[in-house]
Amino acid sequence: MAHVPGEHSPAPDPAPVDTHCPYCSLQCGMTLRPTPPDRGSGGTPGSVEVIERTAFPVNRGALCGKGRTAPAVLSSRVRLTEPLVRRPDSGRLEPATWEEALDRIAEGLEATGRAHGRDAVGVFGGGGLTNEKAYALGKFARVVLGTSQIDYNGRFCMSSAAAAHQRAFGLDRGLPFPLADVARTGCVVLVGSNLAETMPPALRYLTELKEAGGRLVVVDPRRTRTAEQADLHLAPRPGTDLALALGLLHLVVAEGRVDEEFVERRTSGWPEARAAAMAHWPELVERITGVPVPDLRKAVTMFCDAENSMVLTARGPEQQSKGTDTVGAWINLCLATGRAGRPLSGYGCLTGQGNGQGGREHGQKADQLPGYRKLADPAARAHVAAVWGVEPDALPGPGRSAYELLDALGRDVRALLLMGSNPLVSAPRAAHVESRLRSLDFLAVADVVLSETAALADVVLPVAQWAEETGTMTNLEGRVILRRAALTPPPGVRTDLSVLSGLAARLGWEKGFPADAEEVFEELRRASAGGPADYSGITYRRIAEEDGVFWPCPENAQETAGTGTEGTKEAEGTHSEGAERPGPHPGTPRLFLDRFATDDGRARFAPVSHRPAAEEPDAAYPVLLTTGRVLAQYQSGAQTRRVAELNEAAPGPYVQLHPLLAERLGAAEGVPIAVVSRRGRAVAPARISRDIRPDTVFMPFHWAGPGRANTVTNPALDPVSRMPEFKVCAVRLELAEG
């Protein structure tokens, strides 16, 4: 149990409230108990206790330090509690009333659209927004503002995996099976994930896997806390994950391990994919990746000898300019060996942000409408337009992806409404993005804290946090869960839904934008009905009673929404998908058991070949930089950097480098190192370790200022997913003064 003082008035009934952590995509269950003033020495008036919630099946009571200390950000000492408006005379952000702040935003957005066209107004959302907020924000952009220019920071999360999932299976859900299945399979190949630090409660599934006799292969350029748990650690050169996957598939073919019956019955495109893989023989792959051929053979043996196997990817292989093809190559490995479309096997993506999955399903993404419908599809436009009460032709077409939208600020896009994101720290080529934000005619930000991005705004709105509002999230398994309010927001703070409702009213839409979350969700259900991500059978009551409901979940059991789950039966603990059951649909814990969600029901191989990173080392920039997260901080750090306990554990950025590289540079532990790329320079203390390749350095990306890792990262985009290449760029190292 953790107790963190806040400064709220508790809810009228201080009974414990079951809810979920505000951070990563595990969405760990927890219970909050508001502490009344008369509780004695147990706490400050208005404090809240975090209590383990062992019944929730994902984390089973386990919480990391971020979850335990999450209530610390509820304190008015660290958060925004009143609107701020930049005064022309002083140029400073100063307190304002809500009426003035909302009027100013409405005027700024409307004037820009009138003067420069509707697409001169942009909207940028976040992967931490609830499904209701994501839905309302997308609707607000397209209906009220009439702009195509909307995207969100989830584009930087798992968009490459999503694109590869769509291409191979016809449907994108992070994990097509419950997380609990990971502990029951025979072998897991974990690619580019350090979940021991990024989502610690999930590590228990890998521990249980090994305790049951399963094997773990970890692919990562660094020997992380997760890699230390592995039976086999493969440390490829950053940017070569695609070659590695192709090399493993080559060995699968050469050793006669292809599941020919599965390939023939349930897939298409194998001859082309096979030919591409056979061009990547083991010795060539060793030269490209640095992974020895014997280790390649060991990985294939572990993966194929197990009765069931999984490949799980995260940002390592995905945040590359060839991320979609890289994930596609790992999916090919699963398909060729028959490790897909059956219980306890398959490919899955470990989503990063809390609602990275749901955030793109319901309209924040530039090319999508609610229910994971395509914005360019006439039938999808007609369905959603009917729910919204507008003509299909009134909806704008697809807009720019996240980085392209940020790059257009101050030029094509002159005004921006931003909710729940801090791109000044989190975007690639961040100094350039900062200059684009500063060049805007008008910037409005809604956030819980005064982030680095909010500090540049013309208007800043203080909005409610996870413990102060109700709404749904969709975790990495596709499980829709319910966050419940345990506290009332402090005076001067409103919810994001209230903000959108107020702005819509000022811009001529008195109806259609309710501030009540459940009312918004009821409309979301109708808008998603019949789409790939069908939530029409999910209600707040069902979520509460069932500890979450897996999508797709049509309104009745006879509807399947094209998910490839028709007629699925109970098998090895597999929840029946309910296609033949009368009454309500039970939800879909496991996808693709009978067919894939493609037109012909077959999974599609991707005929991919290795290609270099967008920026390879050269004489001027001879070292590779890769980036990532640390245990005690989260994303851009806007919230976690305001928690004393977390700052004590991870007080600032650093540059991890191998002793051989440090010796060549003349660097010692703790000495400031400058990491310089073609885009800028970041400076942080050296952390010398043999846990990283000698040709590579690592920086965490949670901090602003001189140690901002994303100052130097490369915005080169994947041609399909539009994911920037965060994970690899060429740099040089210098000893820095001070």
Side-chain angles (χ1 to χ4, degrees), residues 678-721:
R678 291 176 174 84
R679 290 154 297 281
R681 171 188 177 99
V683 179
R687 185 172 294 184
I688 300 174
S689 172
R690 294 187 179 276
D691 292 337
I692 191 168
R693 292 173 54 97
D695 58 1
T696 301
V697 295
F698 167 83
M699 289 189 73
F701 58 73
H702 308 289
W703 289 271
R708 182 174 61 186
N710 277 320
T711 296
V712 300
T713 51
N714 192 351
L717 300 180
D718 180 286
V720 179
S721 69

Side-chain angles (χ1 to χ4, degrees), residues 12 57 88 202 253 380 412 435 474 558 596 641 704 717 725:
V253 176
D412 298 327
S435 72
T474 305
Q558 279 66 45
F596 296 96
R641 285 188 274 117
L717 300 180
E725 192 152 56

Side-chain angles (χ1 to χ4, degrees), residues 448-473:
V448 299
V449 296
L450 189 66
S451 69
E452 288 78 12
T453 303
L456 302 182
D458 297 285
V459 181
V460 182
L461 301 179
V463 291
Q465 298 194 48
W466 59 287
E468 303 161 346
E469 58 183 356
T470 294
T472 61
M473 305 283 280

